[in-house]
Amino acid sequence: MVVTETAPVLSAPELKKVELIDAVVERSGVKKKFAKPAIEAALAILGESLAEGRDLNLRPLGKVKVQRTKEVANAIVMTTRIRRPNMEATPVEAEDGGIVDAAE
């Protein structure tokens, strides 16, 4: 019998809201004073939608489906499934309206 050692699964550091806002500001070029309230409103809407049991279908994030919920002290624990599209195989719309490969 051959036993192979598996590598441990390492996760990246947690993404905090401040870091998300900074990344959006950097990527979009929008001023932080305009981006922050929009991002906070979007996160609130996403949280409310999940609390209502609604599935989310938000490309390129993917489809988020609530599998189970459980109430614990001071929180509701949601078990979700996220299905992300394979961005390498998905055609992307170009700025001129044409279709380009995601790798371009």
Side-chain angles (χ1 to χ4, degrees), residues 52-98:
E52 293 171 1
R54 295 181 66 183
D55 293 343
L56 307 177
N57 193 356
L58 306 170
R59 292 185 70 113
L61 173 67
K63 185 167 185 170
V64 180
K65 183 175 178 107
V66 177
Q67 299 289 314
R68 293 185 301 277
T69 59
K70 178 181 175 183
E71 289 192 39
V72 296
N74 301 328
I76 297 174
V77 176
M78 293 182 180
T79 303
T80 62
R81 170 168 276 161
I82 301 174
R83 181 181 176 114
R84 293 204 55 198
N86 183 351
M87 297 308 285
E88 293 175 5
T90 306
V92 177
E93 190 171 323
E95 290 179 16
D96 63 0

